[in-house]
Every structure is written in structure tokens, then in C-alpha cells.
């Protein structure tokens, strides 16, 4: 396979994997929009994302190797564009970079959503847990009376 075809092939694989990753990120955001998150679906998405990220890493390594064979620095952004331009794939490379930026942004949003949900859950747990010094039930198993409470639990 020629260098140009190899690079085109690597770019096409990267483009396809990033497009799939963007779809998964949208599905993940849809799950986060619900009060009750489908944990099974979220787990499946997470596994699929990990698989795609592994594939992207492989495709990126292939792309760098091909670019370096052409005499370019595979880690340099401008050199990567120049190498892609040299075979007529400059626009395709720019599209890949744009999709990668979108996916990165979507991932940052997901992280923010997860952090916020975690913060809210900690607050809820703190609100419903009794203080460590004031157990909810006594040794007899009966509810304890707490000075701060205006309500009496009958049981």
C-alpha cells in the first residue's frame, strides 16, 4: 500500500471512530438528562467508548508512523496538516480535528455532569444521615429522641 493510501486509510478509520464516539457521547448525555440513569446502558456506553479510544490510539499511531515516513514530525500539528495536504487530505484532517474537539468538549460536559450529580448525592446523604453522635435507634431498637427534632417518632 502506498504512503498516501496508508495515510488516507488511517485518516478514514480515525474519522469513522470519532464519529462513532460522538454518537456515543450524545447517547451518554441523553442518559444523564434523566433523573434515573439506566446504569446498564451507561456501562455499555462506557465499554464502547473505551474500545473506540483504544482503536483511535492505534489509528493515531499508524498516522504518525506514515507521516514520519514522509519526513514530517508526526506529533507536530502543522506538520500533520502539511502531510495530509500533500496527499489531498488536508480538509479531511481538519474535519477530524474538529470532531475530536467536539468529542473532547462533550467529554468535559459529561465530567461536569457526573461531578455535579456526585455533589448533590453527597449533600442528600449528609441531609438524611443522622449525626454520628446521635444514633437514630437505641440499643433496644426503638427510635431515639433527638433534641433538635420537633417531631416524635411513634413505634
Amino acid at each position: 500500500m502506498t504512503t498516501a493510501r496508508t495515510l488516507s486509510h488511517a485518516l478514514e478509520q480515525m474519522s469513522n471512530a470519532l464519529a462513532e464516539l460522538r454518537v456515543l457521547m450524545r447517547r451518554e448525555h441523553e442518559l444523564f438528562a434523566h433523573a434515573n440513569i439506566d446504569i446498564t446502558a451507561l456501562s455499555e456506553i462506557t465499554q464502547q467508548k473505551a474500545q473506540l479510544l483504544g482503536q483511535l490510539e492505534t489509528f493515531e499511531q499508524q498516522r504518525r508512523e506514515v507521516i514520519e515516513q514522509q519526513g514530517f514530525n508526526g506529533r507536530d500539528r502543522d506538520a500533520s496538516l502539511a502531510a495530509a495536504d500533500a496527499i489531498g487530505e488536508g480538509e479531511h484532517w481538519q474535519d477530524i480535528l474538529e470532531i475530536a474537539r467536539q468529542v473532547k468538549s462533550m467529554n468535559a460536559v459529561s465530567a461536569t455532569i457526573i461531578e455535579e450529580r456526585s455533589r448533590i448525592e453527597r449533600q442528600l446523604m449528609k441531609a438524611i444521615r443522622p449525626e454520628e453522635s446521635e444514633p437514630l435507634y437505641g440499643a433496644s431498637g426503638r427510635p431515639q429522641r433527638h433534641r433538635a427534632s420537633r417531631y416524635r417518632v411513634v413505634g
Side-chain angles (χ1 to χ4, degrees):
M1 194 179 273
T2 67
T3 303
R5 285 183 53 197
T6 303
L7 183 55
S8 291
H9 182 68
L11 293 177
E12 189 62 33
Q13 288 177 313
M14 289 178 76
S15 181
N16 291 339
L18 280 167
E20 283 183 55
L21 189 56
R22 185 170 51 186
V23 168
L24 286 175
M25 296 300 296
R26 286 181 181 145
R27 285 182 44 212
E28 183 178 69
H29 286 185
E30 288 170 5
L31 287 174
F32 287 149
H34 299 286
N36 294 322
I37 296 175
D38 182 345
I39 299 300
T40 302
L42 185 60
S43 177
E44 289 171 6
I45 287 172
T46 301
Q47 289 173 359
Q48 291 171 348
K49 282 173 33 180
Q51 181 181 9
L52 284 171
L53 289 172
Q55 290 174 2
L56 279 167
E57 191 172 312
T58 300
F59 302 148
E60 174 61 10
Q61 183 60 39
Q62 290 171 356
R63 184 195 67 79
R64 285 182 183 164
E65 288 171 4
V66 171
I67 287 175
E68 288 169 2
Q69 289 171 2
Q70 292 178 322
F72 294 99
N73 178 350
R75 295 188 182 274
D76 181 85
R77 186 178 169 132
D78 292 334
S80 294
L81 179 57
D85 273 341
I87 63 164
E89 292 283 354
E91 189 174 320
H92 193 186
W93 178 242
Q94 293 289 6
D95 291 344
I96 288 170
L97 292 176
E98 178 57 31
I99 294 171
R101 278 190 289 275
Q102 290 172 6
V103 168
K104 182 179 178 181
S105 176
M106 293 170 86
N107 195 53
V109 168
S110 291
T112 300
I113 291 169
I114 290 168
E115 288 172 12
E116 183 62 15
R117 281 185 173 256
S118 180
R119 184 188 66 77
I120 291 169
E121 187 169 311
R122 282 191 306 273
Q123 287 179 335
L124 288 171
M125 293 304 292
K126 187 176 178 181
I128 63 172
R129 280 189 192 150
E131 293 296 319
E132 294 293 326
S133 61
E134 297 183 37
L136 191 56
Y137 296 96
S140 67
R142 292 199 166 283
Q144 293 273 30
R145 287 190 186 175
H146 298 285
R147 286 179 272 174
S149 177
R150 291 187 278 158
Y151 302 101
R152 180 174 172 208
V153 178
V154 179

